[in-house]
Amino acid sequence: MINFVDQHTLSKASREARERVARQLSTFIKVLFFLFERMQLGLAASTVRRDASLIDALRESAGLPRFAAEPAMREFLRAVTRARPAGAKFEGVVVYSPRQLVPSLLQYDAPPFGPSFMALRERCLFTLRVVTLMRGGSAWSVRRSSIKAVCDPIGRPIVMFHYDSKGAAANNIAHDSNYVEHLEEDIRRCDRSLCPAHLLLQLRDVVERLDREEHDRLFTSEIGAALSVNSVRTLMSKLLRRAQVAPVFTSHSLRMSSSVTLKLLGVADQDVCVRAGWHTGATSSTRSRHYLYGRGVREIGRAHV
């Protein structure tokens, strides 16, 4: 029907181009038919709703009324949501444990390879996201200059850092802060290969020696060029594929996997919310449960975590 465009492309298009596409979408029936075809492709309900929003934005930019308020459109999108429930893609699979990824993380430890820059970067990102329950996009924004080894109020050695979070943006705060602990004594290997605090400091020092650009990012290429947010997300996606985790699980699933594991180990919702940076009220407790895709996960048994 049309070559679909995203919001960025739409904003750059000429008025004539927007009006031309808007005329193609001039009838309500055509729009519904297009969205129905998109649903038939097996796309998620959120994708179909996004398409509907982009069409409305396109029409509005051309001076035409939006379709969102139409009762038939609301009923259609409701039907799409029922036909494509959010958790349906996880049907028939069991949530993996972050521990399943460790052998793939350490596979290049043995000579003659040794831990390379890419291995160090991957381990740092993995442990950072598992321990802090951080999104991939938030990990990308960690400021290298803010990484400092300090002690918390009870004297434990930790490493603090600043990053951009959704909460900080919503509250008009310049940045958010977080920390990771030194966990050498708690790791079975009894070394620093998976200690999040040590990895964070080590990667910071390595990147500072590589830096060839004016940036403050932690996650870079081997020559010091800052990675894009999508490239940082892809690092975890590649690790999941290497570990032969079910393809349905994406980079963001690491947050879900960590939350599920903590829940099965008996960690309270409130503690998970605090570590993830969510408010500890009822809404965030529900959000914590949202990550438990498939209620059967509670019956898997703690021994399998």
Side-chain angles (χ1 to χ4, degrees):
M1 182 177 174
I2 62 172
N3 291 323
F4 215 65
V5 294
D6 59 21
Q7 190 69 46
H8 177 67
T9 306
L10 173 62
S11 66
K12 295 175 65 177
S14 66
R15 181 176 179 82
E16 292 77 12
R18 293 198 299 268
E19 289 177 349
R20 185 171 59 253
V21 178
R23 281 194 295 272
Q24 291 180 320
L25 301 171
S26 58
T27 67
F28 188 61
I29 296 300
K30 282 184 178 180
V31 172
L32 281 181
F33 182 70
F34 169 70
L35 294 175
F36 179 73
E37 284 187 326
R38 298 281 284 169
M39 187 191 77
Q40 292 293 90
L41 293 174
L43 300 176
S46 59
T47 303
V48 178
R49 288 195 299 270
R50 174 181 173 273
D51 291 350
S53 296
L54 287 173
I55 289 172
D56 268 354
L58 184 63
R59 287 176 54 81
E60 188 175 47
S61 70
L64 297 173
R66 299 170 69 93
F67 286 142
E70 294 287 341
M73 177 61 78
R74 292 201 300 268
E75 287 300 318
F76 171 77
L77 293 177
R78 239 183 248 121
V80 170
T81 301
R82 287 195 295 270
R84 296 274 187 275
K89 65 178 181 177
F90 295 102
E91 243 179 86
V93 296
V94 176
V95 179
Y96 64 92
S97 164
R99 187 177 296 172
Q100 290 176 234
L101 308 182
V102 171
S104 296
L105 277 174
L106 301 179
Q107 65 180 343
Y108 298 123
D109 249 358
F113 300 100
S116 64
F117 170 77
M118 290 186 291
L120 172 64
R121 182 182 63 189
E122 185 180 62
R123 292 176 195 178
C124 181
L125 179 60
F126 169 79
T127 56
L128 181 66
R129 289 195 55 192
V130 168
V131 170
T132 64
L133 300 177
M134 187 179 287
R135 299 176 181 86
S138 297
W140 165 79
S141 67
V142 171
R143 289 168 170 77
R144 192 172 72 247
S145 62
S146 69
I147 300 172
K148 291 180 174 60
V150 297
C151 288
D152 68 8
I154 60 174
R156 297 180 305 168
I158 60 173
V159 175
M160 293 197 68
F161 58 89
H162 295 159
Y163 70 105
D164 300 328
S165 68
K166 289 178 68 174
N171 292 292
N172 298 317
I173 300 172
H175 56 254
D176 208 340
S177 61
N178 211 322
Y179 71 95
V180 290
E181 307 94 324
H182 285 273
L183 299 176
E184 291 99 325
E185 295 181 1
D186 300 320
I187 298 174
R188 290 181 181 178
R189 288 170 57 88
C190 296
D191 61 25
R192 297 179 171 184
S193 61
L194 288 178
C195 170
H198 174 76
L199 289 170
L200 199 59
L201 293 171
Q202 187 179 3
L203 183 61
R204 178 202 63 183
D205 294 342
V206 171
V207 171
E208 284 180 351
R209 293 194 294 270
L210 291 173
D211 189 15
R212 298 292 184 274
E213 296 183 4
E214 294 296 325
H215 66 77
D216 196 23
R217 297 299 179 198
L218 175 66
F219 295 102
T220 72
S221 68
E222 291 179 281
I223 60 173
L227 296 181
S228 68
V229 63
N230 286 332
S231 295
V232 173
R233 292 191 182 108
T234 301
L235 293 177
M236 285 299 96
S237 299
K238 289 180 177 178
L239 173 62
L240 291 172
R241 302 292 80 83
R242 207 165 69 239
Q244 299 183 339
V245 172
V248 71
F249 294 111
T250 63
S251 172
H252 189 69
S253 71
L254 190 58
R255 200 180 203 205
M256 171 185 62
S257 169
S258 302
S259 298
V260 168
T261 301
L262 291 172
K263 184 72 175 180
L264 290 173
L265 289 171
V267 178
D269 278 342
Q270 184 176 18
D271 294 332
V272 174
C273 289
V274 168
R275 199 65 184 95
W278 302 328
H279 294 297
T280 55
T283 301
S284 284
S285 293
T286 301
R287 188 181 302 178
S288 173
R289 289 192 294 275
H290 164 73
Y291 281 96
L292 298 180
Y293 290 111
R295 294 182 182 275
V297 74
R298 293 171 181 166
E299 281 70 56
I300 292 173
R302 300 175 191 275
H304 297 287
V305 178

